[in-house]
Amino acid sequence: MASQQHLEKMQLRQNYRNLWHTDLITTIHRHPLYCCFALWCGPCASYMLRKRALYDDLSRYTCCAGYMPCSGRCGESKCPEFCLCTEVFLCFGNSVASTRFLLQDEFNIQTTKCDNCIIGFMFCLQQIACIFSIVAMIVGSDEIQEASQILSCLADMVYCTVCACMQTQHKVEMDKRDGKFGPQPTAVPPVQQMSRIDQPIPPAAGYPPAAYGQPYPAQGYPPAAYPPPQYPPSGYSR
């Protein structure tokens, strides 16, 4: 039942309308410092990003964000800090993916086709390296063994690079959420306030002040230049 729900959730993410603030390709040259930090110290970055994704409230923490069968069964409520440290070091890939799913579900973000191709290439390369390692153990050929080692090294490099780019992508998205990008390009109009007892006239909210004292344009109305009628004083008779 749980796996069916997760499958339906993954299918639902394909219909999300929002996009990541930056894609995987542009994270390296747009945010090189954090990308290097996530590359050389991935578990530390994963710990900080998961805590930040939970709004620094680890009482809401669940192992692998509830996306794995072990979620909720690891004593997270007793010591969430220790459980999160264990997750990011022992299940690093799952920790990065879980933070990604959290952000996608919170902001209705879909992964672009280009990002899907990069992530798919990473997984395919790992599978090919694993197959070559198994074949090299069975056959015992030095050439296949050397090729499997090269593929394994290449797969690890791609894996670490893609995970660093993904974590940088998550960090940028939370910077956007927390308003760290400064003023938005389009100014939001101020909210109009209701008048109160101590404020009889509502404040102006982007409207020009009314030009009082100006005559209305003539639109079929009679002119207002008639003199007032003169009445005789009381008690006067002709």
Side-chain angles (χ1 to χ4, degrees):
M1 180 64 68
S3 60
Q4 182 66 25
Q5 292 178 354
H6 293 162
L7 181 60
E8 293 176 356
K9 194 66 176 178
M10 293 180 63
Q11 294 176 352
L12 182 62
R13 291 190 188 102
Q14 299 177 359
N15 299 324
Y16 288 162
R17 297 305 180 195
N18 298 326
L19 298 176
W20 295 99
H21 191 75
T22 178
D23 52 14
L24 291 177
I25 297 179
T26 59
T27 53
I28 297 178
H29 68 270
R30 285 187 178 180
H31 309 276
L33 294 179
Y34 194 88
C35 197
C36 290
F37 166 69
L39 177 64
W40 297 108
C41 193
C44 298
S46 182
Y47 182 94
M48 292 187 295
L49 290 175
R50 176 66 65 78
K51 184 178 179 181
R52 189 177 171 188
L54 297 174
Y55 296 90
D56 295 330
D57 183 11
L58 287 182
S59 62
R60 303 168 53 192
Y61 168 75
T62 305
C63 181
C64 296
Y67 297 107
M68 296 296 166
C70 63
S71 300
R73 304 176 182 177
C74 301
E76 299 94 329
S77 59
K78 297 180 180 179
C79 190
E81 293 84 0
F82 177 76
C83 291
L84 181 56
C85 288
T86 305
E87 176 189 338
V88 298
F89 279 100
L90 300 183
C91 306
F92 174 70
N94 289 334
S95 68
V96 175
S98 300
T99 303
R100 187 177 188 85
F101 294 154
L102 277 177
L103 295 176
Q104 284 187 274
D105 294 339
E106 181 179 359
F107 303 113
N108 293 335
I109 301 174
Q110 66 168 336
T111 302
T112 61
K113 294 182 179 180
C114 182
D115 289 356
N116 282 330
C117 289
I118 294 174
I119 298 173
F121 173 74
M122 174 188 69
F123 286 131
C124 290
L125 194 59
Q126 289 179 335
Q127 298 298 325
I128 294 174
C130 181
I131 292 173
F132 264 76
S133 299
I134 295 174
V135 172
M137 287 189 298
I138 296 175
V139 176
S141 174
D142 294 337
E143 290 80 5
I144 299 179
Q145 184 69 31
E146 184 178 357
S148 67
Q149 292 178 357
I150 294 175
L151 279 175
S152 298
C153 183
L154 181 61
D156 292 340
M157 290 177 58
V158 173
Y159 173 77
C160 293
T161 304
V162 173
C163 286
C165 292
M166 289 174 66
Q167 297 208 88
T168 306
Q169 194 178 45
H170 303 165
K171 185 258 184 185
V172 173
E173 196 65 32
M174 284 187 280
D175 286 346
K176 176 185 174 183
R177 178 195 71 182
D178 298 337
K180 294 187 177 182
F181 288 161
Q184 299 295 329
T186 57
V188 180
V191 179
Q192 297 183 3
Q193 300 177 357
M194 297 294 291
S195 60
R196 303 172 302 188
I197 297 177
D198 58 342
Q199 185 181 346
I201 302 177
Y207 299 98
Y212 297 104
Q214 296 182 0
Y216 290 98
Q219 296 180 352
Y221 299 99
Y226 295 104
Q230 299 293 331
Y231 297 99
S234 59
Y236 174 80
S237 60
R238 294 193 177 207

